[in-house]
Amino acid sequence: MPTGLTKGAGWEIGVSRTLPLPPAAVWDFLTGQEGVRLWLGPVEGAGGLPTEKGEPYRTADGVAGELRGHRPGSRIRLTHGSTTVQVTVSPAPGAGGTKSVLRFHQEHLADAAEREERRAHWRRVMDEIAGALC
């Protein structure tokens, strides 16, 4: 089976980076207005990013989805059009809570070409987040 193709989730991609900040600081940024705008895009409505399972959202560029899972401080899982995106923040191993690992994972992609496009996208997002935080 080609790299990135799974039986259960089809084509998928994951991107991660260690950031020199504690997990709580990274989480607060990611779930705040500026952070959400960087990784998801501007969310329509006053509520911003949903926090209740099953709650819908729509981005300013027309992508609709719903929240599938939310563990405050560590994980958000949501549909994004026909795909699923998961964002996780965890303590970096051996850093004593002073560094974080940020991960973006997207599954149910159409094919290898979309996988590569999303890899480039998530790397750009990661660069923007790191630039805003560090």
Side-chain angles (χ1 to χ4, degrees):
M1 196 173 302
T3 300
L5 181 60
T6 66
K7 287 183 180 182
W11 289 95
E12 62 183 14
I13 187 63
V15 174
S16 66
R17 185 176 295 178
T18 300
L19 298 171
L21 294 164
V26 175
W27 180 262
D28 288 347
F29 178 79
L30 286 175
T31 58
Q33 186 176 2
E34 182 182 358
V36 169
R37 182 186 56 76
L38 289 177
W39 68 268
L40 186 60
V43 176
E44 293 181 347
L49 185 67
T51 57
E52 297 295 323
K53 188 174 180 177
E55 191 175 354
Y57 74 92
R58 182 182 261 324
T59 65
D61 62 358
V63 177
E66 74 175 39
L67 189 72
R68 292 290 174 93
H70 184 252
R71 287 188 192 153
S74 67
R75 186 181 75 162
I76 297 169
R77 186 171 173 85
L78 46 79
T79 60
H80 186 260
S82 62
T83 70
T84 301
V85 173
Q86 182 168 286
V87 182
T88 60
V89 178
S90 59
T98 62
K99 295 181 180 179
S100 305
V101 177
L102 172 59
R103 291 180 181 89
F104 290 98
H105 181 87
Q106 190 168 13
E107 56 193 38
H108 303 294
L109 302 171
D111 53 31
E114 184 179 21
R115 180 179 187 268
E116 290 310 310
E117 184 276 322
R118 298 314 290 172
R119 177 198 312 267
H121 166 79
W122 290 119
R123 285 181 174 168
R124 282 190 306 273
V125 166
M126 197 70 81
D127 289 344
E128 290 178 20
I129 289 170
L133 284 172
C134 302

